[in-house]
């Protein structure tokens, strides 16, 4: 047996800058935040990751849809000849699945 935890992250790449789409652009009073570009790193054991990227626990499809809707609303958009609300960025959604495995402590080697 074991238990699984699912976490969602959502980022945008625009003009070579990486931005967390799960972080609000304004504070609780509506003042804009200065949002620095996130750094892409590589770790010998973890692999490639985005430093300081939000990972939010999700337990249902409605949690996932709520987070995707939130992030989509703050993506960079602009008009093109083909589409009036075309995205000007690339977005990456990642579901991180962690499984807890219970150790069998009653065995002998």
């Amino acid at each position: 047996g074991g238990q699984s935890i699912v976490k969602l992250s959502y980022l945008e790449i625009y003009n070579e800058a990486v931005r967390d789409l799960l972080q609000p652009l304004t504070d609780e009073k509506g003042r804009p935040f200065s949002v620095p570009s996130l750094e892409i790193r590589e770790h010998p054991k973890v692999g490639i990751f985005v430093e300081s990227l939000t990972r939010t626990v999700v337990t249902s499809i409605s949690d996932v849809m709520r987070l995707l809707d939130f992030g989509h609303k703050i993506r960079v958009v602009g008009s093109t000849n083909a589409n009036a609300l075309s995205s000007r960025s690339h977005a990456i959604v990642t579901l991180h699945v962690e499984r807890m495995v219970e150790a069998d402590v009653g065995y002998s080697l």
Side-chain angles (χ1 to χ4, degrees), residues 17-77:
V18 178
R19 185 166 65 109
D20 190 337
L21 290 175
L22 298 182
Q23 288 296 316
L25 295 175
T26 58
D27 65 15
E28 64 280 350
K29 294 183 180 178
R31 296 177 297 223
F33 284 126
S34 172
V35 183
S37 178
L38 299 177
E39 295 292 325
I40 298 172
R41 306 267 189 221
E42 186 171 8
H43 186 275
K45 292 185 180 177
V46 177
I48 296 173
F49 68 99
V50 179
E51 191 172 44
S52 302
L53 181 64
T54 301
R55 287 186 179 188
T56 302
V57 173
V58 292
T59 58
S60 66
I61 190 66
S62 61
D63 288 349
V64 171
M65 296 308 294
R66 179 180 48 80
L67 292 171
L68 293 178
D69 184 57
F70 177 87
H72 183 72
K73 287 178 180 175
I74 62 174
R75 285 191 65 198
V76 175
V77 295

